[in-house]
Amino acid sequence: MATKLAGTAEPTDQIEIGRIVGVFGIKGWLKVQSFTEPVEGILDYAEWHLDRPGIAGTWRVRDGRRQGRQVVASLAEVEDRDEAQRFVGARIAVEREQLGATAGARVLPR
C-alpha cells in the first residue's frame, strides 16, 4: 500500500502540474495528464503531492516516460493495477519553490 513519505509536512503553497487520469498496464503504472512544457517535464519532480478524496500526501516518482501525448509514471510502493486505480483523479502538485529547481520544465497556464 502506498504511504505518505515519513516526516514530510503538508505543503502550504502548491502549484498543480498535472492530474492522474488512468492506469497503465498491470504493474501499477499511472497515466498522467501533464500541465508542463514539455509534457515529460513533470518527471523532473522527484516527489509529487497528490490530492483526491481518500488520497492525500507525498509520493516518490520511481520511473516514468512519455507515452504519446501523455506521460506514464510509476510511484514508489504502488505495485499493481488495483493500487494504482485508487489514484485516478488525483491532482499532482509541487511546492511553488520547486518550480525554479528544474531547468527544463515550465508549467503552462490553464
Side-chain angles (χ1 to χ4, degrees), residues 86-107:
R86 298 180 327 121
F87 294 88
V88 175
R91 76 180 186 100
I92 302 168
V94 295
E95 293 184 57
R96 183 178 300 276
E97 64 191 34
Q98 288 179 269
L99 294 178
T102 60
R106 67 182 180 90
V107 179

Side-chain angles (χ1 to χ4, degrees), residues 14-23 30-35 42 48-59 75 78 83-94 110:
Q14 298 178 350
I15 299 294
E16 186 173 354
I17 61 170
R19 289 196 179 265
I20 297 175
V21 295
V23 295
L30 301 160
K31 289 182 186 177
V32 175
Q33 177 186 12
S34 173
F35 304 150
I42 197 168
W48 292 346
H49 303 293
L50 302 180
D51 185 28
R52 82 171 270 274
I55 301 286
T58 302
W59 276 264
L75 300 179
V78 179
E83 278 185 73
Q85 188 64 42
R86 298 180 327 121
F87 294 88
V88 175
R91 76 180 186 100
I92 302 168
V94 295
R110 295 183 7 145

Side-chain angles (χ1 to χ4, degrees), residues 40-95:
E40 62 272 15
I42 197 168
L43 299 170
D44 291 345
Y45 303 96
E47 295 177 354
W48 292 346
H49 303 293
L50 302 180
D51 185 28
R52 82 171 270 274
I55 301 286
T58 302
W59 276 264
R60 239 184 217 109
V61 178
R62 180 177 25 204
D63 198 3
R65 67 179 183 274
R66 185 177 185 137
Q67 186 78 23
R69 287 184 280 174
Q70 293 181 325
V71 171
V72 293
S74 171
L75 300 179
E77 300 181 30
V78 179
E79 304 297 333
D80 64 41
R81 186 179 184 91
D82 291 336
E83 278 185 73
Q85 188 64 42
R86 298 180 327 121
F87 294 88
V88 175
R91 76 180 186 100
I92 302 168
V94 295
E95 293 184 57

